[in-house]
Amino acid sequence: MTQQEALYKFALRLGDNALIRSYRLSEWCSNAPILEEDLALTNFALDMIGRAQSLLGYAGEIEGKGRTADDLAYKRNEQLFVNVLMAELPNNDFAYTIARELFLSVYEYYYFTDLAKCDDPTLAAIATKTLKEVKYHMAHSTDWTLRLGDGTEESHARMQDAVNKLWSYAGEFFEADVVDVMLTNALNTPDTPRLLKNWEDHTAAVLKEATLRTPSVPFIQHGGRNGVHTEYMGHILSEMQFLSHAYPDASW
Amino acid sequence: MVAIHPSRFDILRLLSTIPDPEIPVVSIEEMGMLRDVVIDDDRVEVIITPTYTGCPAMGLIEADILATLHKSGVKNASVRNVIEPAWTTDLMSDKAKAKLKEYGIAPPLHSSCNHEVFQHNEIECPRCNSKNTVMISRFGSTACKALYQCNDCKEPFDYFKCH
C-alpha cells in the first residue's frame, strides 16, 4: 500500500463516519421528543454533513480520479463504505441516540485534538475546525446522559440499556490497521489504540455521575472500517442514494 | 479604466456591502467571512471562509459575490472556500457585535471559545440588558446560535455562540 492509497482510505473512513452518522441524526428531524432537541440533533447532522463534504472531497482529491464528494457519497456500494458500525446503528429511542452521541463525541474530542497536530495540512485544518463543533456535541450529549441517567426510573433504565447495548461497538474506534500505522508513522496522525484509556476514563466518569454502570462486556463488534456492515447499512443506502440512482447526475 | 480593472481594495470595498444571508444586519466582511481578494491579470479570486463546516449559506454567499462582481463589470471571477485558519468569533468586528445586539441577538461573550462550552456563562439579554437569563437550548435556529430566555423581561432570544 502506498502512502497515497492509505491517505485516501483514511480520509474516506473519517468522511463516511460523518456522512452515515449525519443520516441517522437527520432521521430525528420532526421526530425528537421536544422542539429544542429537534433543532439540536439536526444541528449535529448539519455539522456532520459539512465535515463529510470536506473529508470526502479531500479523499477524491487524493485519489486523483476526478471523483467528487457527491460521487463518493452516492455512487459507492455498501462494501465500499468504511464507517465504524456505531454510526449506522438505528436511533431506537432518544436515550440510545444520546448514548451513541456521547460515545462518539468523547472519542472525537480526543481524536481530533490529536489530528489537529498531524503533518498533513488539510487534515489538520479540517480537524481544527471540527474540534470546535465536537466540543458542543460532547457537552450536549453529556448533559443529556446526566439528565436521563440521573432522572426518573424509566429514563435511567432506558439510558442504562442504551449504554449496555452500544458499548461493545466502541472498540472499533481504537483499532489500528496498516492504514493507520503507516500514517501515524509518516504524518503523525492519531495513534488510536493510545486514545482508549482517555476515552474509557472520560466516559466512565460521565456514566458514574449519571448514576449509570459502566458495562464490562468486551468490544466484540467491528468490521465497518473494512466494509463489513450490519444489516442496517443497506437500508440506509437504499434511501440515501435513491435519488441519484433514479435520476443520475440530477442537480439543483 | 477603473471599472474594468478595479484594485483589490476596490473589490473588497464592493464585497463588504454583501449581507450575511442569515443575519442580514451584518455584512460578510463584518462577520469575518470575507478573507481576501487575489487579482491575477483580469482574473479575480475571492477567498471566503465558512463559520461552521456545514454552514448552508455558503452557496448563497458565493452566488451573491459573483453577482455583485458581475454587476460591476468583473466577469472573470471565482470564489474559493478555505477553512484554514479556522473561522472564529474573534474575527467578528465590534461594530458587528453591536449590530447583532441591536438586532436582538446577544453577541458572543468571549474573544475565544475554547472553554466556554464547559462552563456556565452569564449572557446578557439583548433587549433589557438583564444578566438574569437562562439557556433553553445549546442549539438554536442556526448552527451558530443558542437559545436563551430572559428571566426579567421574559423574552426568548438568540445568543451567538463563541466559536
Side-chain angles (χ1 to χ4, degrees):
Chain A
M1 182 178 278
T2 65
Q3 188 172 317
Q4 186 197 7
E5 286 162 348
L7 199 55
Y8 167 70
K9 186 141 192 202
F10 187 89
L12 201 61
R13 281 173 170 168
L14 289 176
D16 285 350
N17 284 347
L19 179 70
I20 300 303
R21 189 162 148 220
S22 176
Y23 179 89
R24 282 300 187 211
L25 287 160
S26 305
E27 289 182 320
W28 277 109
C29 186
S30 81
N31 291 310
I34 50 173
L35 179 60
E36 287 75 12
E37 274 318 294
D38 218 286
L39 290 173
L41 292 173
T42 44
N43 265 309
F44 275 42
L46 191 59
D47 290 343
M48 300 294 158
I49 278 287
R51 195 195 302 176
Q53 272 172 338
S54 300
L55 286 162
L56 294 180
Y58 186 46
E61 221 174 274
I62 297 161
E63 189 192 35
K65 292 180 184 166
R67 289 206 280 182
T68 64
D70 281 346
D71 290 334
L72 289 169
Y74 294 121
K75 296 179 183 171
R76 271 184 301 153
N77 289 338
E78 182 181 333
Q79 291 80 4
L80 297 176
F81 275 82
V82 284
N83 53 283
V84 293
L85 296 180
M86 197 182 291
E88 72 200 43
L89 296 177
N91 289 325
N92 290 339
D93 62 8
F94 185 65
Y96 199 89
T97 296
I98 290 299
R100 181 189 69 206
E101 292 308 308
L102 177 75
F103 290 172
L104 280 164
S105 61
V106 170
Y107 166 69
E108 288 182 344
Y109 173 69
Y110 292 102
Y111 184 86
F112 285 115
T113 299
D114 279 5
L115 188 65
K117 296 176 218 152
C118 81
D119 296 332
D120 181 283
T122 305
L123 288 175
I126 294 171
T128 303
K129 186 116 187 103
T130 295
L131 188 59
K132 288 166 175 261
E133 295 163 4
V134 168
K135 286 177 184 174
Y136 280 100
H137 305 157
M138 185 166 82
H140 194 69
S141 41
T142 300
D143 279 358
W144 271 108
T145 302
L146 299 178
R147 193 162 159 189
L148 295 173
D150 196 11
T152 64
E153 211 176 297
E154 173 75 13
S155 72
H156 177 89
R158 288 213 200 184
M159 199 63 217
Q160 185 68 61
D161 183 55
V163 165
N164 294 349
K165 283 188 177 144
L166 285 167
W167 189 265
S168 63
Y169 289 88
E172 197 177 16
F173 306 165
F174 308 99
E175 287 174 358
D177 64 4
V178 57
V179 170
D180 303 288
V181 172
M182 181 187 272
L183 297 183
T184 300
N185 291 335
L187 296 171
N188 194 29
T189 56
D191 184 2
T192 43
R194 289 177 64 101
L195 300 177
L196 175 61
K197 184 154 178 9
N198 287 334
W199 182 85
E200 280 184 325
D201 290 350
H202 190 127
T203 310
V206 174
L207 295 180
K208 190 176 174 206
E209 196 184 338
T211 73
L212 296 163
R213 272 177 295 104
T214 298
S216 53
V217 290
F219 296 132
I220 50 171
Q221 301 289 357
H222 60 102
R225 282 163 35 92
N226 292 312
V228 181
H229 293 279
T230 64
E231 63 269 39
Y232 307 112
M233 188 65 179
H235 295 279
I236 292 180
L237 297 184
S238 66
E239 188 170 280
M240 189 179 87
Q241 298 180 331
F242 167 78
L243 193 119
S244 69
H245 286 172
Y247 305 97
D249 301 318
S251 66
W252 290 107
Chain B
M1 289 302 283
V2 176
I4 302 164
H5 291 294
S7 68
R8 172 177 167 273
F9 180 74
D10 290 336
I11 291 179
L12 279 171
R13 197 171 49 185
L14 180 69
L15 298 179
S16 71
T17 59
I18 295 176
D20 178 316
E22 281 174 351
I23 312 169
V25 286
V26 290
S27 71
I28 56 170
E29 190 254 339
E30 289 166 328
M31 283 291 288
M33 297 167 82
L34 181 60
R35 276 267 154 89
D36 205 353
V37 165
V38 180
I39 298 176
D40 183 12
D41 276 342
D42 66 337
R43 224 178 64 80
V44 171
E45 185 181 52
V46 181
I47 300 168
I48 56 173
T49 195
T51 52
Y52 281 64
T53 46
C55 177
M58 294 313 282
L60 191 57
I61 291 172
E62 188 176 326
D64 285 348
I65 288 172
L66 294 177
T68 304
L69 290 175
H70 205 84
K71 247 188 274 174
S72 305
V74 181
K75 309 284 183 203
N76 192 359
S78 60
V79 176
R80 185 153 58 97
N81 200 339
V82 299
I83 59 166
E84 208 272 311
W87 182 85
T88 149
T89 33
D90 297 1
L91 294 170
M92 222 186 261
S93 67
D94 286 342
K95 205 169 106 189
K97 289 183 184 176
K99 284 185 185 176
L100 283 181
K101 191 177 174 204
E102 179 75 13
Y103 187 60
I105 299 172
L109 194 61
H110 301 290
S111 61
S112 171
C113 71
N114 289 337
H115 300 289
E116 167 175 308
V117 288
F118 301 117
Q119 67 200 21
H120 175 73
N121 285 296
E122 273 189 348
I123 309 297
E124 200 176 283
C125 172
R127 293 193 175 78
C128 73
N129 300 324
S130 164
K131 287 190 173 170
N132 181 16
T133 61
V134 59
M135 184 171 76
I136 306 223
S137 175
R138 196 177 270 111
F139 297 87
S141 54
T142 66
C144 52
K145 287 177 275 173
L147 190 61
Y148 275 72
Q149 186 172 18
C150 177
N151 288 330
D152 285 332
C153 75
K154 306 292 182 201
E155 284 288 328
F157 63 91
D158 276 331
Y159 166 58
F160 201 109
K161 290 186 278 197
C162 289
H163 199 63

